[in-house]
Amino acid sequence: MTDVSGSTELHLDADSAEQMRAIATDVIAPHLRAGDLLILSGDLGAGKTTFTQGLGDALGVRGPIASPTFIIARTHPSEVGGPALIHVDAYRLTSLAELDDLDLDTTLDDSVTVVEWGEGKAEALAADRLHVRIARERGGELDMTNPEGGRREVTIVAHGQRWAGIDFTVGASDPSGDLG
Ligand SMILES: Nc1ncnc2c1ncn2[C@@H]1O[C@H](COP(=O)(O)OP(=O)(O)O)[C@@H](O)[C@H]1O
Ligand SMILES: [Mg+2]
């Protein structure tokens, strides 16, 4: 892991879907609480939903977590008395302000909200947010028997006062083997 600007931006590698889930479970989830907003970006098949599955496991919400295609948002209630997980596909939204108009069975304040395709649309909703950018590593060898496979680079950028002073490396186990 390289921590390039104090505790607010960091880079991790995920060599497999399991490692992607572990980044969510071990690095991010321990710091989350009700009211938090995460924006996930990355191409189709990058691993946004896979990441969200790891969050859901760690938060103890009712699954299964799947791509929210064809619906805009799905609420996963907590099974452990914690915050619900609201999983949003913002692909067809122009602004996340529209989220307030959806009937979600819970409020954003009582939930952890994860938005796939939310980049550039979140500013209307919250100044405090975590951006998780997922990219397929370029230059790696493409395995034609498994085109979905391979390493992903995960960049986590924290925006706003909510995340000031939070160090994601604290309390994390070592999902990618290189947290130092
Ligand atoms: N390193 C990796 N990280 C995340 N997913 C991976 C990785 N390697 C392979 N995969 C696979 O790639 C696919 C990612 O799909 P998904 O999480 O639905 O992407 P998205 O939601 O970004 O469209 C899954 O089938 C997952 O098992
Ligand atoms: Mg998805």
Side-chain angles (χ1 to χ4, degrees):
M1 173 189 290
T2 313
D3 189 350
V4 296
S5 62
S7 60
T8 57
E9 172 166 339
L10 53 93
H11 298 274
L12 294 164
D13 292 329
D15 287 335
S16 64
E18 269 319 303
Q19 285 191 0
M20 183 64 77
R21 287 190 197 93
I23 287 172
T25 301
D26 300 341
V27 180
I28 304 299
H31 297 281
L32 295 179
R33 62 184 188 219
D36 286 342
L37 171 68
L38 290 88
I39 306 295
L40 309 188
S41 55
D43 296 340
L44 193 67
K48 301 180 294 298
T49 298
T50 302
F51 177 94
T52 307
Q53 289 165 347
L55 277 190
D57 282 350
L59 293 173
V61 300
R62 191 193 304 154
I65 290 173
S67 270
T69 315
F70 304 121
I71 57 152
I72 290 174
R74 185 176 281 137
T75 299
H76 298 272
S78 176
E79 295 186 317
V80 296
L85 180 72
I86 300 175
H87 185 199
V88 183
D89 183 343
Y91 195 76
R92 287 171 299 269
L93 298 179
T94 52
S95 160
L96 293 186
E98 298 167 47
L99 269 187
D100 290 332
D101 301 332
L102 300 175
D103 190 11
L104 292 170
D105 292 334
T106 181
T107 68
L108 302 187
D109 284 347
D110 291 329
S111 310
V112 170
T113 302
V114 176
V115 185
E116 299 194 24
W117 304 107
E119 200 161 16
K121 305 171 187 176
E123 290 71 13
L125 193 66
D128 292 324
R129 56 200 188 269
L130 277 188
H131 276 201
V132 178
R133 298 200 179 91
I134 305 174
R136 282 202 180 78
E137 188 170 78
R138 305 210 185 278
E141 243 169 66
L142 184 62
D143 176 0
M144 293 310 286
T145 63
N146 182 17
E148 287 285 279
R151 172 178 285 205
R152 310 293 198 262
E153 294 175 344
V154 182
T155 303
I156 298 157
V157 188
H159 296 270
Q161 273 304 305
R162 158 71 179 96
W163 304 104
I166 290 192
D167 184 349
F168 291 100
T169 64
V170 172
S173 60
D174 197 346
S176 61
D178 62 356
L179 285 182

